[in-house]
Amino acid sequence: MLLAFIAFIAVLYLILFSLWGNRLMSPIVEKALSSGFSTPMNVQEFTLRHNRFHMIAQDDFGNTLSTQGGFSLLTLRLYAHYRLECFRADGMNPMRVPFKTVGAFSGGIGAFNIRGNATIFGGDILYKIELHRFHLSQLDLIIDQIDYEPMMHYLDYPSDTDTQLSGTVDLRGLDRRDVMGTIYLSTQTKRFSPTPIHEDDNSTFNLKSLLADKFGQIKPFDVNVALDASLEHAGILEQFVGLPLAGALSAQGTLSGDKTLLKFKASSDVARSNTKFTVIIPDLEPSSILLDLRNADAQQTFELFALPAPITGQISAYAELNATAGTLQTTIRKGSTIPDILQQHYRITQPLIHFDADVNADISEKGVHYRASFKSDLNRMDIDNTTAHDQMLRELLKTLR
């Protein structure tokens, strides 16, 4: 019996760790890699010894994976260096765009660490990933000068800009579903040209589908993540908000809560204002939006929406909106018209007018009801219960003239 066991161990050792055994195992490894990457793979080099290994594999398109390292069968720990070069957008390339990554991994069943650097979209990403029992636990990224235009093309959105994206991502507690961390993003833009807004049907995309598992179930979670964004040109967001934007934009916010109630609270100094913005998300379905904008510069506000500014002054607004109704209160103080802009871009002939204005809008499924007052150095006007945009504008222009 003992001799049979010793013979079995000897045969197993020869199959697993000898040069002859490695040649026998190469087709098995090749088949496993082909199945894992869903593309034919060719193992060019394969060496396995009792405490170390080495492998180079390539697909039919020239994309190459190489790795070498060591392991311990007693402690079930593994360490290795790896290199993945995908210069073709086919085969085993998971990104479908050219990229390269080099790194190392180490650990065992309890904890596993992966560190490396990836080159993609003309920039670099330093990454550190920690797994607990093979579940993602911690994610750290340092993003350096990623080209925004090819990234948008990868997402099937049009873009014409030289914008570069940089930032950091630090998320922890992912395995416990108690996520905490920070996300900071910044952009540098020297050239930006607007592109047609891409028609995108997001009817099938929502938070529930994003967070659900393969059985459609959403496990309990808690989240508290701080976000900080600084954009040199807000126009790069045009495809996501569905309208033209321009000018610089910075904002800070926090996403906090659980699956029963999420809140996204943000603040910004956009257009020299003091702006606060809140989105309430019960049961993972956005239900209401609160906006409090105070003392924004009128010219910069128009420029933010890529519009020539026809007035100067200070704009304040307060809005409460939900899926079916809402209210919007807008005030303009120390306002002045800009006759040249009104004539050139809006085809309106007006003298210089100094004014204050208040406009309230009640929004419902039946339409929009306006209440407004306008006081200028020419006249005073009050509008009550106007139900159409064009009617309100006609009454306003009639008074200004």
Side-chain angles (χ1 to χ4, degrees), residues 100-235:
K100 179 179 71 174
T101 182
V102 178
F105 54 83
S106 63
I109 296 175
F112 206 81
N113 293 302
I114 305 172
R115 297 171 181 262
N117 173 70
T119 301
I120 189 171
F121 300 127
D124 295 301
I125 300 177
L126 290 173
Y127 56 86
K128 175 185 175 184
I129 301 170
E130 185 172 320
L131 307 177
H132 287 173
R133 297 194 175 275
F134 302 110
H135 289 89
L136 179 62
S137 172
Q138 180 177 327
L139 176 65
D140 291 291
L141 303 176
I142 299 177
I143 304 165
D144 185 32
Q145 296 183 340
I146 295 292
D147 289 336
Y148 190 81
E149 181 177 314
M151 184 181 71
M152 290 292 286
H153 293 166
Y154 175 74
L155 298 173
D156 293 327
Y157 286 105
S159 180
D160 184 6
T161 180
D162 66 353
T163 297
Q164 291 185 321
L165 173 68
S166 300
T168 59
V169 176
D170 178 9
L171 298 177
R172 304 169 188 274
L174 295 165
D175 58 327
R176 305 190 308 271
R177 301 184 70 82
D178 184 12
V179 183
M180 300 180 65
T182 59
I183 298 175
Y184 170 71
L185 298 173
S186 66
T187 64
Q188 298 80 42
T189 304
K190 295 180 180 179
R191 177 187 60 80
F192 174 82
S193 298
T195 54
I197 302 299
H198 180 66
E199 294 185 6
D200 191 7
D201 182 9
N202 292 319
S203 58
T204 59
F205 175 82
N206 52 55
L207 285 175
K208 288 186 176 180
S209 65
L210 180 66
L211 298 174
D213 60 20
K214 62 181 180 180
F215 303 107
Q217 301 297 315
I218 301 175
K219 297 179 181 178
F221 67 87
D222 287 283
V223 63
N224 188 357
V225 176
L227 305 119
D228 191 335
S230 178
L231 311 180
E232 279 194 355
H233 200 298

Side-chain angles (χ1 to χ4, degrees), residues 285-400:
E285 294 185 356
S287 67
S288 59
I289 296 174
L290 305 177
L291 172 67
D292 187 4
L293 180 146
R294 300 184 182 184
N295 303 321
D297 181 83
Q299 287 182 287
Q300 291 191 18
T301 301
F302 276 88
E303 290 170 0
L304 176 65
F305 294 99
L307 295 171
I311 63 171
T312 63
Q314 290 185 336
I315 298 177
S316 297
Y318 180 80
E320 295 183 4
L321 306 171
N322 58 43
T324 59
T327 60
L328 173 62
Q329 302 169 0
T330 305
T331 63
I332 301 176
R333 294 293 179 261
K334 301 178 182 178
S336 299
T337 59
I338 305 178
D340 291 343
I341 300 296
L342 284 168
Q343 173 61 39
Q344 180 179 355
H345 295 280
Y346 298 93
R347 299 296 186 266
I348 297 174
T349 301
Q350 293 289 351
L352 174 64
I353 301 172
H354 302 284
F355 67 93
D356 291 332
D358 295 274
V359 179
N360 297 324
D362 296 318
I363 305 167
S364 67
E365 293 179 339
K366 296 181 179 179
V368 182
H369 291 260
Y370 290 97
R371 298 184 308 279
S373 65
F374 183 89
K375 182 178 180 181
S376 73
D377 49 8
L378 296 182
N379 204 342
R380 176 180 177 84
M381 175 185 67
D382 291 296
I383 300 174
D384 188 32
N385 291 330
T386 301
T387 57
H389 304 282
D390 55 351
Q391 182 181 349
M392 184 198 68
L393 291 174
R394 279 198 301 269
E395 293 188 31
L396 176 61
L397 292 176
K398 187 192 306 178
T399 303
L400 292 179

